[in-house]
Amino acid sequence: MKHGADETWPGLPPRAQESLDELLAGNARFRAGHPRHPHESRARRRKVATGQHPIALFFGCIDSRVPDEMVLDQGLGDLLTVRTAGHVLDLASLGSLEFGVHQLRTPLIMVVGHESCGAVAIAIGALEGGQPVPSAVSALVEVIRP
């Protein structure tokens, strides 16, 4: 089910709903070709140098065609980002997400997928076609396998 920028998610805490509203509005600006490119000024750089208070955690694939700050029209200090090939959630990634929630009190985790994932294609090729993969990539294949 897709939600629009003017919809609420039942039971979502107010800070999380505000964050989601901002991210959906930012994505709508990006899709319409009218991004604001917020929070990129020298003053913003000075402000975030003293501490961070991101509005959301972004968990997505490393695919360069889906840059989180760009597709959500956010700027410096707005998002914490955890990205792995194929959306593989390992212990380090999970620890990074927990850090954002528990240490920085980030109110929302946004899990974002995309089509045509190269890591998934490599996993399918390795599993169904027997195509060789580098040793570290095989760890991704094993997690994607199920």
Side-chain angles (χ1 to χ4, degrees), residues 54-79:
I55 65 168
L57 283 138
F58 177 98
F59 177 56
C61 184
I62 63 169
D63 195 299
S64 65
R65 300 167 293 180
V66 190
D68 49 321
E69 283 89 0
M70 186 177 286
V71 301
L72 297 170
D73 195 26
Q74 300 300 306
L76 296 170
D78 292 331
L79 301 176

Side-chain angles (χ1 to χ4, degrees), residues 3 20 45 48 51 70 76-77 89 98 118 126 131:
H3 287 269
L20 180 61
R45 288 193 306 266
V48 297
M70 186 177 286
L76 296 170
L89 184 61
E98 285 183 357
Q131 297 171 351

